[in-house]
Amino acid sequence: MWRGQAQFEETRQHLQKQPVVGQWKPLAPSNRGQELQQPEPSAKDSAGGDENQSVAQLNVSRLRSSSVEIREKGSEFLKEELHRAQKELKLKDEECERLSKVREQLEQELEELTASLFEEAHKMVREANTKQAASEKQLREARGKVDSILFAEFQAWKESPSLDKSSSFLERIYQEDVGPCLDFTKHELSELIQAAVEQNTLTIEPVATQALPVVKVSAIECGGPNGFRSQIVTKCALSGLSRACRHRIKLGDSGNYYYISPSCRARITAVCNFFTYIRYIQQGLVRQDVELMYWEIMRLRKEMSIAKLGFFPSEM
């Protein structure tokens, strides 16, 4: 074999030992000429493609697994948030319901209170109207029963009020009420008391309560100043009787005190109340109808009449 042929054969054999990468195919005829046919993928290329495809599938699987895990965790988180929101909403609903009940209760109590106040107000108005009507009726009846002589004497005194005993109005009251009410056993002291009442210089004060021993009656002769300032059993300075004297009197600026019994105190107080009222009338401090003034004086005369009979409140 010639040298060129031997070399060709060696090259051919070498090529046969190499793996076939691809195979050329004839190009289809074309107007533009023949073009080269793309080589078919070899076994090595196929193996590489399968490997790349497996890697891609694995990545896709991992992505899908991660996506599923994310969705599951997100779903779990959303469920927890939803559960918490529902729980908070339930608590808010319960609170709203409680507040609604409290409001309804307050509205009901307010309505009941308003109704009660209106009812009480109407009741008070009715009672006031009833009392006013009764008072007006009594006043009309009293006006029809007024002693014309006594009322005429009071009207005459009211025209020019004074404490002068010469007026027929005061003269009658002195004779029928003031004189008998201040007529005590100790006549000299009684006259001094009446003068002090007329001059408004008499003082009555309670005896200070102290835990002092009971003083014997024989230790005090006339019930005059004895220095004790306590509720003691002693002689009344006006009646001369042994009594529990809870009050004492002082005449003017004198430093002497006279202990008096509850009965004597009631009589003196009744007279003082009468003189206080007529002084108010004299000073123009009483602004009432003449008939109302007259009936107030009659009430004060009634108190003097009861006191001179020996009646007095238990607290005296």
Side-chain angles (χ1 to χ4, degrees):
M1 182 178 299
W2 56 284
R3 183 179 180 184
Q5 186 178 2
Q7 189 178 2
F8 174 78
E9 185 66 24
E10 183 180 357
T11 302
R12 185 181 64 79
Q13 291 177 359
H14 177 74
L15 292 173
Q16 288 179 353
K17 293 179 182 180
Q18 296 295 328
V20 179
V21 177
Q23 185 176 4
W24 294 95
K25 292 182 181 181
L27 297 175
S30 174
N31 296 331
R32 297 175 59 184
Q34 295 183 353
E35 296 180 358
L36 294 177
Q37 183 71 26
Q38 294 293 333
E40 293 182 359
S42 62
K44 184 176 181 181
D45 293 337
S46 298
D50 293 339
E51 183 179 357
N52 293 334
Q53 185 176 3
S54 298
V55 172
Q57 291 177 354
L58 179 60
N59 292 334
V60 172
S61 177
R62 288 177 180 176
L63 290 174
R64 289 178 179 175
S65 177
S66 298
S67 177
V68 171
E69 185 178 359
I70 291 173
R71 284 198 301 270
E72 289 178 353
K73 289 184 178 180
S75 177
E76 184 178 356
F77 175 76
L78 291 175
K79 288 181 180 178
E80 291 178 356
E81 290 294 324
L82 178 61
H83 179 69
R84 183 162 51 251
Q86 289 176 345
K87 187 176 180 180
E88 292 178 357
L89 182 61
K90 183 179 180 182
L91 293 176
K92 289 182 179 180
D93 290 341
E94 292 176 354
E95 182 67 14
C96 290
E97 184 178 359
R98 186 185 68 83
L99 293 176
S100 178
K101 290 181 179 180
V102 171
R103 184 185 65 181
E104 292 177 358
Q105 183 179 359
L106 291 177
E107 290 178 350
Q108 183 178 0
E109 292 179 356
L110 179 61
E111 184 178 355
E112 292 176 356
L113 178 61
T114 303
S116 177
L117 291 176
F118 273 112
E119 183 178 356
E120 186 68 21
H122 287 305
K123 181 180 178 181
M124 293 176 63
V125 171
R126 289 195 300 269
E127 291 178 353
N129 292 335
T130 302
K131 290 181 179 180
Q132 182 178 0
S135 299
E136 292 176 353
K137 181 180 179 181
Q138 292 177 357
L139 181 59
R140 289 192 299 268
E141 292 176 353
R143 286 175 178 174
K145 299 178 181 179
V146 172
D147 190 318
S148 57
I149 297 177
L150 295 178
F151 186 67
E153 291 176 351
F154 172 71
Q155 282 184 314
W157 176 84
K158 178 65 176 57
E159 294 296 328
S160 180
S162 68
L163 299 180
D164 188 1
K165 301 178 185 178
S166 61
S167 66
S168 57
F169 168 68
L170 287 182
E171 183 181 6
R172 179 189 296 275
I173 295 178
Y174 263 98
Q175 293 177 357
E176 296 178 1
D177 303 307
V178 175
C181 204
L182 297 181
D183 185 14
F184 299 104
T185 303
K186 304 296 181 178
H187 297 290
E188 183 178 355
L189 183 58
S190 298
E191 294 177 357
L192 295 175
I193 290 176
Q194 180 172 329
V197 171
E198 294 172 353
Q199 298 169 8
N200 198 22
T201 59
L202 184 140
T203 303
I204 303 177
E205 62 181 32
V207 177
T209 303
Q210 297 179 359
L212 296 178
V214 176
V215 178
K216 294 182 180 180
V217 175
S218 59
I220 302 172
E221 297 297 332
C222 299
N226 53 25
F228 288 95
R229 293 182 59 79
S230 62
Q231 178 180 325
I232 59 176
V233 176
T234 183
K235 281 185 179 181
C236 173
L238 294 173
S239 65
L241 302 176
S242 298
R243 294 289 184 269
C245 299
R246 301 186 180 93
H247 293 81
R248 63 182 186 176
I249 61 175
K250 183 177 72 169
L251 307 178
D253 297 331
S254 173
N256 296 331
Y257 287 93
Y258 300 90
Y259 288 82
I260 58 176
S261 64
S263 175
C264 294
R265 187 226 172 184
R267 293 165 66 175
I268 296 173
T269 301
V271 177
C272 288
N273 291 338
F274 168 75
F275 274 96
T276 298
Y277 186 71
I278 63 174
R279 285 193 190 97
Y280 285 164
I281 297 176
Q282 181 189 17
Q283 297 169 6
L285 300 178
V286 182
R287 301 182 181 278
Q288 290 180 328
D289 185 76
V290 177
E291 292 186 4
L292 294 177
M293 293 183 188
Y294 174 79
W295 286 110
E296 177 62 19
I297 289 175
M298 292 298 103
R299 187 188 67 80
L300 294 172
R301 293 187 65 183
K302 178 181 177 182
E303 287 186 357
M304 288 189 287
S305 298
I306 294 174
K308 71 184 178 183
L309 294 175
F311 295 99
F312 59 90
S314 57
E315 60 270 15
M316 287 189 175

